[in-house]
Amino acid sequence: SSSDYMYINNYADYWNTPQSFQVLFDTGSANLWVDSIYCSTQACNAHTKFNPQQSSTYSANGHTFYLPYGAGSLYGTFGYDTVNVGSIVINHQEIGLSTNEPGQNFVVAKFDGILGLSYPSISAGGETPVMDNMISQNLLSANIFAFYLSRGGQQGSVLSFGGMDTNLYQGQIYWTPVTSESYWQIGVHGFEINGRETGWCSQGCQSIVDTGTSALTAPSQLIGHIMQAIGAQESHYGMYMVDCSQLNNLPTLSFVISGVALPLAPSAYINQHYQNGHQFCSVGITPTYLPSRNGQPLWIFGDVFLREYYSIYDRTNNRLGFASAA
Amino acid sequence: GIVRIPLRKHKSMREALREKGIELPYQDPALKYQPDEF
């Protein structure tokens, strides 16, 4: 009953013979990798493994990589193969084959790999991301992808390549330029609590829009102020809790982006848990102690934000669009 | 011209580990964006 979730696709196929994998679509990284037969750690053994010997189209390139994701890391080796993502067939796509996934974190992951959707400048090993190969191979009707993340059950979320789904959002799309063509990073020009401007981003803030992060992440220097406004108390392991009976009295938080305030109601940023018949309410906002690359305070718009806003990633114009999710 | 890929929602790794009684210590989410420093 928690709303601390990740969104994972059906599968991507590797030819030929097809091998299918569930991957996490991650706008916060750029590489594609999958578990492989070269890895025998507990995390790898818990997942479907790619066997390049069963693919007549696979070729190795000999380069190795290390990818830290914060919540897990891996080592691997790069190769090329034909990749089918939702019926889009990409030739000669660089893929990472894991050789070592240490620790426990990936053991419980429901995905066999990660498909990064950010810009090539942050790609480990300089490998070409899937989206860039889609663009260069003219596989898309428009160089756009868009995420709809369902607020409800396990089903219903959609990633669209080549355009946006007008039935998955309502109202106007608000566009804002990408400020650093590395991550899907944008400027945040204001932060409001119950419609009142705090001034905390008056000197400018940055935000990375990241489907691979579940929480909304706030700059550490602001987290105390935000939790005070919410009336949250710090619990164990960095979690902040609120009295569930007060949910209707919690403030609406809004981000001002390119002159438009995008609100988050309490229902968006509060996770409700049930344990032994008791209800607990935690705040889906965590701190980060690292600034953005330009030194401005950094937010991360994870799934807590993206469940409320349909997000459109426009590589042609290097801009991000947000509209109220349907 | 639009290719739609249905996504399935799963619990995050932190939440899945918590259900197994393993509580991950706080880890800065932005470490993901600092591979050199990491």
Side-chain angles (χ1 to χ4, degrees):
Chain A
S1 56
S2 164
S3 58
D4 186 11
Y5 291 112
M6 309 304 290
Y7 296 81
I8 297 166
N9 89 313
N10 265 354
Y11 46 76
D13 294 337
Y14 300 85
W15 294 11
N16 174 22
T17 307
Q19 300 178 50
S20 298
F21 304 90
Q22 296 199 33
V23 296
L24 182 131
F25 282 103
D26 180 19
T27 59
S29 66
N31 288 86
L32 167 63
W33 67 267
V34 290
D35 292 285
S36 86
I37 60 164
Y38 300 135
C39 177
S40 56
T41 63
Q42 189 182 356
C44 291
N45 291 342
H47 294 102
T48 302
K49 295 179 180 179
F50 176 61
N51 183 351
Q53 292 153 11
Q54 292 179 357
S55 173
S56 61
T57 46
Y58 175 81
S59 60
N61 81 1
H63 298 153
T64 60
F65 67 87
Y66 169 67
L67 284 171
Y69 287 99
S73 61
L74 73 150
Y75 299 84
T77 182
F78 284 119
Y80 302 91
D81 208 338
T82 305
V83 175
N84 181 343
V85 182
S87 79
I88 302 172
V89 179
I90 308 147
N91 292 311
H92 205 60
Q93 171 64 51
E94 289 93 335
I95 57 174
L97 280 58
S98 70
T99 54
N100 182 15
E101 296 175 29
Q104 287 288 309
N105 293 7
F106 282 142
V107 174
V108 297
K110 296 294 185 185
F111 52 80
D112 308 310
I114 294 178
L115 194 157
L117 288 164
S118 59
Y119 284 85
S121 65
I122 59 150
S123 175
E127 303 298 295
T128 305
V130 165
M131 184 66 185
D132 290 78
N133 277 325
M134 287 182 180
I135 294 170
S136 64
Q137 294 176 26
N138 294 314
L139 302 178
L140 302 173
S141 52
N143 296 329
I144 283 176
F145 60 91
F147 275 89
Y148 171 78
L149 301 187
S150 162
R151 300 182 187 90
Q154 191 183 39
Q155 313 285 339
S157 302
V158 179
L159 165 60
S160 306
F161 280 104
M164 51 200 127
D165 252 313
T166 54
N167 60 335
L168 293 178
Y169 67 90
Q170 51 199 4
Q172 193 175 344
I173 298 171
Y174 299 105
W175 294 100
T176 191
V178 169
T179 53
S180 169
E181 291 168 24
S182 50
Y183 300 96
W184 285 95
Q185 184 172 323
I186 58 174
V188 175
H189 312 104
F191 179 69
E192 301 174 352
I193 297 177
N194 273 341
R196 180 175 296 178
E197 176 55 54
T198 62
W200 298 340
C201 286
S202 58
Q203 302 301 310
C205 290
Q206 297 287 304
S207 181
I208 292 174
V209 181
D210 186 355
T211 56
T213 294
S214 56
L216 172 68
T217 302
S220 59
Q221 61 269 38
L222 303 183
I223 201 83
H225 299 296
I226 295 168
M227 294 304 167
Q228 188 176 23
I230 294 172
Q233 303 294 320
E234 188 165 9
S235 177
H236 56 306
Y237 302 110
M239 290 177 71
Y240 288 86
M241 311 298 289
V242 294
D243 180 348
C244 295
S245 69
Q246 296 299 310
L247 293 187
N248 292 332
N249 300 322
L250 301 186
T252 293
L253 311 176
S254 301
F255 297 93
V256 180
I257 295 167
S258 291
V260 176
L262 302 179
L264 281 185
S267 58
Y269 65 79
I270 297 293
N271 301 322
Q272 297 187 50
H273 314 258
Y274 294 89
Q275 194 172 25
N276 301 326
H278 296 285
Q279 186 185 23
F280 299 91
C281 291
S282 63
V283 183
I285 304 174
T286 57
T288 177
Y289 295 85
L290 298 170
S292 65
R293 287 183 177 179
N294 72 2
Q296 291 181 344
L298 178 68
W299 297 80
I300 302 170
F301 289 173
D303 299 341
V304 163
F305 181 91
L306 295 170
R307 278 193 287 269
E308 302 303 309
Y309 292 98
Y310 187 73
S311 52
I312 305 146
Y313 305 75
D314 181 349
R315 281 288 302 267
T316 296
N317 299 295
N318 293 314
R319 61 181 183 167
L320 252 163
F322 297 109
S324 293
Chain B
I2 300 177
V3 173
R4 296 172 182 85
I5 299 174
L7 307 178
R8 273 185 282 161
K9 187 158 76 170
H10 293 281
K11 288 178 177 166
S12 69
M13 288 189 288
R14 177 177 292 275
E15 190 69 17
L17 286 168
R18 182 175 293 143
E19 289 186 350
K20 289 178 171 286
I22 302 169
E23 194 69 51
L24 288 180
Y26 168 78
Q27 193 157 27
D28 197 316
L31 281 175
K32 176 182 176 182
Y33 314 125
Q34 309 273 337
D36 296 339
E37 289 81 353
F38 192 93

